Amino acid sequence: MGYYIGDRAIALDVPFTDPNGVQRPANWLRNSSARDRELLGIVWQQPTDAGYDQRFYWSPTLAKQLNDEPAVDEDGNDLGYTQTGLKTLWKATQEQIASTLLAPSDWRVVKELEVNSSFAAAKTAFPTTWQTYRAAVRTSCNTRQTEIDACTTVDELKELLFGSATISKTKEQQKTDDDGNGVVDDDGNAVMETVEDLDSDGNMQMIANPAIATAWPADPE
């Protein structure tokens, strides 16, 4: 669902040019009244296919911005500020998750600092299992942020963060025609295809998904 002028989608928090040629700021849709939008012919539409992840897409066919980029109008003119991309937003989310994971054990750090005479003594007294866990949380956060930065498409980013832990094992083999003969191209080279790699009983084999982000460490308790 979203706002449209005719068949043109108008995204929230993105500047746009109205039908009269007036440049509207990024917050215009949020601050406008129903009457304001009506006068410009802006309507709210429910897409025919609502099965898309609104965290990553504006519509079933329109992905959100992946990287931070200078904001420009429809003519390519620089508007003087930067639009935040999905990578930056999701890297910040990793820091929030890390903070949430660390918070329940923060009191342990404070306690050791209060009951010991020096920082060195407090560090020695702090349980090794919790030191290891807290360090692992910070390392996982940094690693996940690096993995986010390495994504080149929105689909890849979504898979990284929310893909299934396991996927079916696949293999490359020559494509065959209806008669079971191997298909070749005009140069006589085998035409390959990716298919599921089944076991000897014809069952689907599952493997760890290599495209998902590094897992957060388990709480030692």
Side-chain angles (χ1 to χ4, degrees):
M1 54 186 174
Y3 289 105
Y4 286 81
I5 298 177
D7 59 0
R8 175 163 64 103
I10 307 298
L12 284 172
D13 303 319
V14 176
F16 68 97
T17 302
D18 70 22
N20 298 319
V22 177
Q23 177 68 43
R24 301 291 179 174
N27 64 350
W28 190 89
L29 278 176
R30 292 191 183 277
N31 295 333
S32 64
S33 66
R35 180 57 177 166
D36 292 334
R37 296 190 292 273
E38 180 184 356
L39 290 172
L40 293 177
I42 299 175
V43 297
W44 180 262
Q45 292 183 12
Q46 183 74 27
T48 55
D49 178 9
Y52 67 95
D53 194 329
Q54 297 183 27
R55 295 169 298 182
F56 296 90
Y57 306 93
W58 292 117
S59 74
T61 58
L62 179 62
K64 292 185 177 181
Q65 178 179 303
L66 186 63
N67 299 295
D68 293 350
E69 297 177 0
V72 296
D73 61 22
E74 293 179 341
D75 296 323
N77 300 311
D78 191 340
L79 297 176
Y81 64 92
T82 299
Q83 289 181 301
T84 302
L86 289 173
K87 286 185 181 181
T88 295
L89 295 175
W90 283 106
K91 285 194 293 182
T93 298
Q94 305 316 299
E95 294 175 356
Q96 295 168 5
I97 294 172
S99 178
T100 299
L101 294 174
L102 292 172
S105 59
D106 284 347
W107 68 272
R108 296 175 182 273
V109 179
V110 175
K111 173 191 172 184
E112 298 302 339
L113 290 173
E114 288 181 342
V115 301
N116 287 278
S117 58
S118 68
F119 176 80
K123 186 174 181 180
T124 301
F126 192 68
T128 302
T129 53
W130 283 101
Q131 290 187 47
T132 301
Y133 168 72
R134 290 173 66 87
V137 169
R138 291 188 288 269
T139 298
S140 293
C141 180
N142 293 337
T143 301
R144 290 169 70 93
Q145 289 178 322
T146 298
E147 291 167 343
I148 288 171
D149 268 332
C151 291
T152 58
T153 67
V154 173
D155 287 345
E156 187 179 340
L157 177 62
K158 181 184 176 184
E159 179 69 11
L160 177 78
L161 298 173
F162 298 103
S164 299
T166 59
I167 56 174
S168 60
K169 185 179 180 182
T170 60
K171 64 180 180 181
E172 289 289 318
Q173 67 179 33
Q174 185 176 11
K175 190 174 182 179
T176 58
D177 58 23
D178 293 339
D179 296 323
N181 301 312
V183 177
V184 297
D185 61 22
D186 293 339
D187 296 322
N189 300 312
V191 176
M192 306 300 290
E193 63 178 348
T194 301
V195 298
E196 292 180 344
D197 188 4
L198 307 179
D199 62 22
S200 57
D201 296 323
N203 299 314
M204 184 184 301
Q205 301 186 74
M206 303 301 291
I207 59 172
N209 186 353
I212 62 173
T214 297
W216 293 103
D219 190 311
E221 291 186 346

